[in-house]
Amino acid sequence: SNFDPVIVNDELLIIAPFHQKSDAFNWNIVIQPKMSFGTGHHQTTHLMCEAILKLDLKEHHILDMGSGTGVLAILAEKKGAKNITAIDIEEWSVESCIENSRLNDCKHVESLCGGIELIDGKKFDVIFANINKNILKAQMNAYYEALNKNGFLYLSGFFETDVDELTSFAKRHGFLRRSINVKEEWAILVLKSVYYAFIFSAFVYSF
């Protein structure tokens, strides 16, 4: 009952089932407010939603790592993605993602319970990971291996003061920073996998 609607860039309205949808927005997402993270109220979820709103994801393969309520996966489908894998380590989050996907008539979201091992052998065009800094660093190489050539990695769940550390760490794993955005001291970092540039720079550095 304390769930207030969330508005993102005057384009997206995130509401609970007891709210009314609005045609004033391009996109409406219904989230059953339970204990899972990701209703859009937190700054990092808001930043991720802002980023997705700018993307054309038609026919893209997407990974939502640490999916929580599934709001990012749901928005990705609304933006055209046809294959979305949503992964969370908590069973109640997976159940929440499944329920919310149904509430939003999603047909292309697969919600899985587990960790980073679930992406072994899979490839994605874009990865969204809204977790915490230490987990992001621990999983960085797995993200690189799972991205298609020139794929994009969107990271959030950390403060603006962590951006330089994460940028430097990601560069050592084959990523280059493309952009950052900040909301109330929280940050989103957009990285691009650049395999050939990474190998070339490593070769030059060795001499």
Side-chain angles (χ1 to χ4, degrees):
S1 62
N2 294 323
F3 185 104
D4 294 322
V6 176
I7 296 173
V8 182
N9 289 5
D10 294 325
E11 293 183 71
L12 169 65
L13 178 66
I14 303 173
I15 56 175
F18 46 80
H19 293 133
Q20 292 293 320
K21 292 184 177 181
S22 173
D23 292 335
F25 299 88
N26 294 333
W27 318 102
N28 284 244
I29 292 179
V30 181
I31 295 295
Q32 185 65 258
K34 294 184 179 179
M35 58 193 301
S36 296
F37 178 81
T39 59
H41 291 87
H42 195 274
Q43 295 90 334
T44 58
T45 310
H46 197 283
L47 285 166
M48 281 288 201
C49 288
E50 283 185 327
I52 295 173
L53 287 171
K54 298 175 184 177
L55 301 177
D56 179 0
L57 298 178
K58 290 178 182 176
E59 306 302 326
H60 280 44
H61 287 214
I62 305 297
L63 171 63
D64 179 7
M65 195 70 194
S67 53
T69 62
V71 64
L72 302 185
I74 292 165
L75 183 56
E77 177 162 332
K78 290 181 179 293
K79 292 290 292 180
K82 296 301 183 185
N83 188 311
I84 304 120
T85 301
I87 296 175
D88 204 288
I89 61 172
E90 304 290 355
E91 289 187 8
W92 64 78
S93 290
V94 176
E95 293 169 1
S96 179
C97 182
I98 292 171
E99 180 179 3
N100 290 325
S101 295
R102 289 172 179 163
L103 283 173
N104 292 276
D105 299 318
C106 291
K107 308 298 182 186
H108 307 293
V109 177
E110 180 184 23
S111 187
L112 304 174
C113 187
I116 195 68
E117 73 281 352
L118 293 178
I119 72 172
D120 286 350
K122 295 185 178 182
K123 287 290 186 180
F124 305 94
D125 301 303
V126 183
I127 295 175
F128 302 108
N130 184 13
I131 315 178
N132 69 59
K133 181 182 72 172
N134 291 334
I135 294 177
L136 293 174
K137 290 174 68 175
Q139 297 181 349
M140 193 72 69
N141 189 64
Y143 297 150
Y144 181 80
E145 294 295 331
L147 273 172
N148 287 323
K149 181 182 176 183
N150 296 321
F152 283 89
L153 174 61
Y154 288 72
L155 302 179
S156 196
F158 50 87
F159 291 105
E160 181 181 9
T161 52
D162 297 316
V163 167
D164 287 344
E165 177 187 348
L166 278 168
T167 299
S168 178
F169 187 86
K171 186 175 182 180
R172 296 198 299 270
H173 287 79
F175 290 101
L176 292 181
R177 188 170 81 185
R178 283 293 172 258
S179 66
I180 62 170
N181 195 12
V182 176
K183 181 177 176 63
E184 297 168 4
E185 299 184 353
W186 294 89
I188 182 173
L189 175 61
V190 182
L191 302 165
K192 185 177 182 181
S193 64
V194 283
Y195 178 79
Y196 294 108
F198 173 62
I199 295 297
F200 177 75
S201 63
F203 175 81
V204 172
Y205 182 77
S206 68
F207 284 90

